[in-house]
Amino acid sequence: STLPAVAEELLREIKKAFQETSQVPDDLLLGLKFIFGPAAVPALDLVDQRSVTQVRSPSGRTLYQVLGSSGKLYTCYSSCHFCTCPAFGFSVLQKSESLLCKHILAVYLSQAMGACQELAVSEEQLTNILLAEEEDEG
């Protein structure tokens, strides 16, 4: 993964705590805010609203779709740490101000808390999702 070790460890701790108690302790929430900054609280809101869907094809390829607070659907790739939202392009890639956007953080947190919706699609449907993203960007 492309996250710093401290961020990886924090996500592991959140997963462990959530499995044991079904909640995230305050010290880990503070750590989340410290490491991920302004993306932390909006990402937790997205998790609470169950806005993250894992899209999986029969071949095992996976991507995530996150319904943003604006109502727009963003495609996230946790395997390569990428999101199609404008904030990712600007704050993460261009300015290097943030480790990630709220959508990718919501994906990681949803994985840790077992809060992902799941959607099985055909290979053709997955291809159409990917092609639709390219058209949006072009």
Side-chain angles (χ1 to χ4, degrees):
S1 180
T2 54
L3 285 177
V6 65
E8 293 277 347
E9 181 59 28
L10 177 63
L11 290 168
R12 273 194 294 276
E13 291 287 321
I14 288 172
K15 181 175 186 166
K16 183 172 176 248
F18 198 82
Q19 285 172 336
E20 291 170 4
T21 65
S22 296
Q23 51 191 343
V24 180
D26 289 348
D27 61 328
L28 296 181
L29 289 174
L30 285 172
L32 204 60
K33 194 151 175 41
F34 179 77
I35 291 173
F36 295 108
V41 173
L44 286 165
D45 286 342
L46 290 171
V47 174
D48 283 345
Q49 295 161 18
R50 298 193 61 86
S51 299
V52 178
T53 302
Q54 181 186 49
V55 181
R56 183 183 299 269
S57 71
S59 67
R61 286 187 289 192
T62 303
L63 57 84
Y64 292 85
Q65 289 189 315
V66 180
L67 186 60
S69 47
S70 66
K72 184 163 172 26
L73 201 59
Y74 297 106
T75 301
C76 298
Y77 307 91
S78 62
S79 59
C80 63
H81 186 74
F82 181 81
C83 179
T84 57
C85 77
F88 184 83
F90 188 71
S91 297
V92 179
L93 296 179
Q94 285 181 350
K95 294 241 179 182
S96 298
E97 291 173 340
S98 309
L99 282 174
L100 35 70
C101 66
K102 66 182 178 183
H103 307 109
I104 295 179
L105 183 53
V107 167
Y108 290 134
L109 290 170
S110 289
Q111 289 172 328
M113 297 181 206
C116 281
Q117 311 275 11
E118 296 199 7
L119 178 65
V121 298
S122 68
E123 297 298 333
E124 185 178 354
Q125 288 170 309
L126 188 72
T127 300
N128 289 337
I129 291 169
L130 296 172
L131 290 176
E133 286 299 337
E134 279 184 16
E135 286 170 16
D136 286 352
E137 292 165 16

